[in-house]
Amino acid sequence: MTSQVSSAAEQAGQDEQADGTVVGEQRKPGTAEKDVRRLDRVIIRFAGDSGDGMQLTGDRFTSETASFGNDLSTLPNFPAEIRAPAGTLPGVSSFQLHFADHDILTPGDAPNVLVAMNPAALKANIGDLPRGAEIIVNTDEFTKRALQKVGYAASPLEDGSLDGYQLHPVPLTTLTVEALKEFALTRKEAERSKNMFALGLLSWMYHRPTEGTEKFLRTKFAKKPEIAEANLAAFRAGWNFGETTEDFAVSYEVAPAATAFPPGVYRNISGNLALSYGLIAASRQADLPLFLGSYPITPASDILHELSRHKNFGVRTFQAEDEIAGIGAALG
């Protein structure tokens, strides 16, 4: 894989830099000519309000990255079940993804890219970014009221405080609404697809496959075809925006982790799923019955859901009316 990529770079007359990136590669014929840089790993964090769909956005980017063949590790950050007011720091939800062309073990510490859907998302995460990191912000949300809500005296997009970063101001909401103007949707309904616009943009930026996401959207909204097509349109508009805008002059490639992971069948596993399997394995090894008394609440509900599927291993699950009842049932 590496020798083939290097050979292609040499044939194109590209220059390889000391940091491992390759510049000067051109896009496919018929598309805008933009540089493509090769990286060995990337850490991306999607951040916004609880209702901005950051978990879904991160999950879809993760699925396409897995199908592409990169090794990856994720860190979803769930806010409180009782949502904080929109646009506030406690209400920020994020999803971090670390993917690479080699074996990795953690979701990473310092994101190379931050997608901030509002001022709260920017302020809550800016401290984790190294200098030179890329920041994509939804400028439509940087209103005076939204800035004051999180303690910004002036817009960080204009006061020079972000000069040490690669800032990409993008009116995500406006562009999404414009892309969906042909659909019979209210402005509020159209705005909900801005996460798909952001996903399309990042998919272009890192050369992620798109077929899986398009199939997912058609399946998820099978009973609402108008909504499905609107989300697809927003997703494609984000991709096309990256392809045509001058603000994104470079895209990036992270090769599949072919050396660390030979072709085969692999499982995408979460912490909750691993814990569930671990409990079942411990039960079988100890020759003891497994009982779970639980109250469903994000993000632990998946443990209850998974264990309830394995009655064939003698697993018994009890969905209690609250946490105290679940604990009492387990102790009893």
Side-chain angles (χ1 to χ4, degrees):
M1 179 68 69
T2 302
S3 61
Q4 293 173 354
V5 171
S6 298
S7 176
E10 291 166 1
Q11 292 173 10
Q14 297 162 358
D15 298 320
E16 186 167 355
Q17 297 180 336
D19 62 358
T21 63
V22 177
V23 299
E25 184 174 339
Q26 295 183 351
R27 304 288 289 163
K28 295 178 181 179
T31 61
E33 294 183 1
K34 293 191 177 186
D35 288 340
V36 178
R37 295 181 183 172
R38 291 196 182 92
L39 305 173
D40 62 350
R41 67 185 185 95
V42 176
I43 303 172
I44 300 175
R45 183 180 296 176
F46 299 93
D49 269 329
S50 297
D52 284 337
M54 294 296 94
Q55 303 302 324
L56 175 62
T57 304
D59 182 70
R60 290 314 313 160
F61 195 94
T62 298
S63 295
E64 297 299 346
T65 296
S67 68
F68 186 73
N70 296 121
D71 187 28
L72 58 89
S73 180
T74 65
L75 181 63
N77 179 20
F78 295 94
E81 187 74 5
I82 300 175
R83 291 184 181 178
T88 62
L89 294 175
V92 174
S93 171
S94 66
F95 188 106
Q96 183 164 304
L97 166 68
H98 181 192
F99 62 101
D101 65 1
H102 56 276
D103 188 14
I104 56 173
L105 302 176
T106 74
D109 294 318
N112 307 112
V113 182
L114 171 66
V115 179
M117 303 299 279
N118 58 23
L122 176 64
K123 189 166 189 177
N125 294 283
I126 189 67
D128 294 336
L129 269 63
R131 307 298 282 183
E134 295 194 69
I135 303 175
I136 301 172
V137 296
N138 180 13
T139 56
D140 289 323
E141 295 297 323
F142 279 69
T143 63
K144 184 177 180 180
R145 184 168 180 268
L147 292 167
Q148 291 176 343
K149 192 179 290 187
V150 293
Y152 278 125
S155 173
L157 308 183
E158 302 171 355
D159 64 5
S161 60
L162 300 179
D163 287 349
Y165 306 94
Q166 300 180 56
L167 180 64
H168 301 283
V170 181
L172 288 172
T173 306
T174 299
L175 290 171
T176 302
V177 172
E178 179 65 21
L180 304 184
K181 63 182 181 180
E182 297 180 0
F183 294 86
L185 301 174
T186 65
R187 180 178 177 85
K188 186 175 182 179
E189 290 173 333
E191 288 178 359
R192 291 174 183 166
S193 296
K194 62 181 180 288
N195 64 324
M196 288 296 104
F197 189 100
L199 177 60
L201 174 58
L202 269 293
S203 297
W204 169 83
M205 195 171 173
Y206 289 95
H207 298 226
R208 299 296 91 185
T210 61
E211 295 80 4
T213 294
E214 294 193 0
K215 181 179 179 181
F216 168 82
L217 291 172
R218 289 194 175 94
T219 302
K220 180 178 177 63
F221 299 106
K223 296 182 179 180
K224 299 179 180 179
E226 180 85 355
I227 300 298
E229 291 303 317
N231 278 281
L232 283 168
F235 177 66
R236 291 166 181 163
W239 177 285
N240 292 334
F241 177 78
E243 185 74 39
T244 58
T245 183
E246 295 182 0
D247 190 43
F248 291 87
V250 177
S251 63
Y252 303 92
E253 284 185 348
V254 180
T259 302
F261 301 96
V265 178
Y266 294 89
R267 175 184 292 277
N268 182 11
I269 191 166
S270 67
N272 283 341
L273 186 58
L275 175 59
S276 301
Y277 287 173
L279 290 170
I280 295 172
S283 169
R284 300 294 287 181
Q285 291 289 329
D287 196 23
L288 293 171
L290 176 59
F291 172 82
L292 174 69
S294 176
Y295 176 72
I297 188 169
T298 302
S301 303
D302 289 342
I303 301 172
L304 176 61
H305 297 162
E306 184 61 35
L307 288 179
S308 67
R309 299 188 180 104
H310 297 286
K311 296 181 178 64
N312 57 310
F313 288 120
V315 178
R316 290 180 295 166
T317 55
F318 171 63
Q319 180 173 320
E321 64 270 25
D322 56 35
E323 291 90 340
I324 296 175
I327 294 169
L331 292 175

